[in-house]
Amino acid sequence: MFEFGRDLRRLFDGHQADQDLGWLEVVDVDVLRGEARRQTIDAGRATCARPVQAWLLASALWREHTRRSGAADSLQHARLTALDGRKAARSNDERAEAVMALAETMVLSFDLYGGPDSLNRALSLIDGLKDHATRPGLKSRLTALHARIRARQVRSPAGDSLQAMAFLDQAVHELSRRPGLLLDTLKLDRAALTLTFGIERRDARLLDQAGRELRDLVDTCPAERRPLTRARALALCGAGLAALAGLADNAEALEQGRALFDAAADQFTADHSPMDWAAVTLARAAALPGAACLVEGGPSEILGGLTRSRTVLGLALADAVVEGGVMKAETQGDILALDRLAARLRSRLAMDRPRPVAWAVDQIGLARIALAKARLLDKSAGPVRLVLVEAAAAARDEGADLIADRADHLLRQVAD
């Protein structure tokens, strides 16, 4: 990993906003925050030679820090620096770049918190920008951003999966001669979508296509330069194999999936990218039997910070912690412990007026407790099926499939 010093500063200096920032993956998340602050200060100086590029680089650094830490204040910094870049813009291309940075911040907000309105606002911002941009590279980046938004809109009930795949194919084609972080990000989005379709439809051709693209990403993203992209590709491979193993009841494929998840976790440490650690941990727990309580062994400081962030990943981790607490209390026959857990969740529901995703997570937790008490006391758990159906629907409406899948998984365990 890089150390903070002259070599690191040299990498950040210059016209990095025009270059691939994939090398940021090897920079520690705390160092990244420090450099984002420094870049923001430098962009605001009256002596800054290229203020637009400086503001846009600051926004890119804040977005990367947000993506890896889940910090809400960093997301706000990313938005504000993008707005400063738009204010400083003098040409159509500069204005287009700044508006794209603002739209990318909204896409990141959706990834973190859900909420289809963020994607709709991002689309309205970039609508028509291609008519004003003159640089070919900028037009390709606009195509890529449009495709990434469409791919995320597939999660909504009105999403068009075939249209989203067509946009991704076009964007990958346009950027094929510009290898780097953006192209790899598009390929990951396309592989994830293809994998989902392949599993849902049991289509061997789609599964093979996704597998080939993910293997290519693993091969072209070495651990010493692109650990996070490599880990994300490995985790997707693991999730795909585990899903296929479940469909075919194949123990060998399940073991291969386990090995791929372990390889993904070995690419980086939890403090280097807390959000990636959470994503790999939760994906492994969801895909592999007996791995549901893996979060108990996670770093307590990182786990606490993520659960307090109230991102979708943080909320899923919070539910995993509740799940572990319920399992422990049920094993010990501790009804009082279950009641204390339920009281804490009800208190949060009463006081916080939570967002739909947070509401859904608390409902899932209360359903877990009701089911455990019903088993201990040999009585009815009440209308938990209805609660879980509503929780899954609320999460899906917000684009939080990770939470909806947790509700569906628990629902399948409830007797009719």
Side-chain angles (χ1 to χ4, degrees):
M1 299 301 171
F2 281 111
E3 296 293 336
F4 188 80
R6 285 185 303 173
D7 290 339
L8 181 58
R9 285 184 176 275
R10 178 173 54 80
L11 283 170
F12 278 101
D13 287 338
H15 302 157
Q16 289 292 343
D18 298 329
Q19 301 176 15
D20 173 45
L21 295 178
W23 57 270
L24 284 176
E25 292 189 14
V26 299
V27 179
D28 182 83
V29 69
D30 291 332
V31 175
L32 184 55
R33 177 191 280 273
E35 284 303 313
R37 285 173 175 163
R38 185 184 74 87
Q39 182 62 35
T40 303
I41 293 170
D42 288 349
R45 297 185 191 279
T47 55
C48 182
R50 301 180 72 197
V52 178
Q53 286 70 25
W55 284 122
L56 296 185
L57 176 55
S59 185
L61 297 180
W62 283 120
R63 286 197 303 276
E64 180 61 17
H65 183 265
T66 307
R67 187 177 293 109
R68 285 166 54 183
S69 68
D73 62 329
S74 294
L75 182 64
Q76 178 70 348
H77 286 312
R79 187 182 73 84
L80 293 174
T81 47
L83 288 171
D84 285 328
R86 188 168 67 173
K87 291 176 187 175
R90 294 293 178 266
S91 69
N92 284 340
D93 282 343
E94 287 180 341
R95 278 187 284 273
E97 279 195 284
V99 170
M100 283 175 58
L102 193 58
E104 286 170 352
T105 303
M106 294 175 180
V107 173
L108 180 56
S109 176
F110 173 81
D111 289 344
L112 290 175
Y113 300 104
D117 287 347
S118 295
L119 296 180
N120 293 334
R121 289 198 298 271
L123 268 183
S124 66
L125 275 175
I126 65 173
D127 185 37
L129 278 186
K130 269 195 173 184
D131 297 334
H132 301 287
T134 59
R135 296 203 311 268
L138 190 56
K139 291 188 176 185
S140 296
R141 285 169 53 198
L142 275 167
T143 301
L145 180 55
H146 194 194
R148 292 177 61 217
I149 295 171
R150 293 295 187 186
R152 284 155 176 77
Q153 287 184 323
V154 168
R155 304 179 200 176
S156 70
D160 189 331
S161 55
L162 292 178
Q163 183 188 64
M165 190 62 76
F167 276 115
L168 285 169
D169 287 341
Q170 180 186 354
V172 169
H173 175 73
E174 288 190 19
L175 282 166
S176 58
R177 295 184 182 179
R178 298 173 178 268
L181 179 62
L182 182 55
L183 179 59
D184 291 343
T185 300
L186 285 169
K187 287 182 175 179
L188 275 173
D189 282 348
R190 185 170 68 175
L193 204 55
T194 305
L195 190 63
T196 300
F197 295 159
I199 292 171
E200 288 177 351
R201 302 171 187 179
R202 303 194 180 195
D203 188 321
R205 183 185 61 83
L206 290 175
L207 292 170
D208 182 62
Q209 178 184 332
R212 280 187 283 107
E213 189 146 63
L214 290 170
R215 285 193 296 272
D216 179 62
L217 281 169
V218 171
D219 291 340
T220 57
C221 295
E224 64 273 14
R225 290 194 296 110
R226 299 289 298 282
L228 301 181
T229 297
R230 182 182 176 88
R232 291 161 189 161
L234 284 167
L236 270 177
C237 286
L241 263 177
L244 287 174
L247 291 173
D249 195 21
N250 187 315
E252 182 181 351
L254 188 65
E255 192 56 38
Q256 290 176 346
R258 190 187 305 275
L260 286 167
F261 278 119
D262 291 343
D266 287 342
Q267 304 302 306
F268 61 95
T269 58
D271 58 348
H272 184 73
S273 183
M275 294 287 279
D276 281 289
W277 169 80
V280 171
T281 298
L282 288 167
R284 187 181 190 276
L288 304 176
C293 295
L294 276 178
V295 293
E296 290 181 356
S300 57
E301 183 179 345
I302 292 173
L303 182 60
L306 288 173
T307 55
R308 289 191 297 272
S309 72
R310 310 302 279 171
T311 60
V312 171
L313 268 174
L315 290 167
L317 280 173
D319 180 56
V321 171
V322 169
E323 180 184 14
V326 170
M327 290 175 66
K328 181 179 179 181
E330 184 177 0
T331 301
Q332 297 174 349
D334 192 341
I335 298 293
L336 287 177
L338 292 173
D339 287 340
R340 284 194 294 269
L341 274 172
R344 190 175 71 198
L345 294 178
R346 290 195 184 98
S347 174
R348 192 161 64 195
L349 280 168
M351 295 176 61
D352 289 353
R353 293 190 178 181
R355 306 184 336 268
V357 180
W359 175 87
V361 167
D362 289 338
Q363 295 297 332
I364 295 169
L366 289 170
R368 294 188 192 281
I369 295 166
L371 289 168
K373 289 182 69 174
R375 287 189 291 266
L376 287 174
L377 301 174
D378 193 23
K379 67 173 189 178
S380 170
V384 291
R385 291 183 63 84
L386 177 60
V387 168
L388 290 171
V389 168
E390 290 182 348
R396 282 218 162 77
D397 285 345
E398 294 295 302
D401 286 356
L402 179 60
I403 304 300
D405 289 343
R406 294 185 71 83
D408 289 339
H409 181 264
L410 184 58
L411 184 61
R412 288 192 291 271
Q413 300 174 28
V414 181
D416 288 328

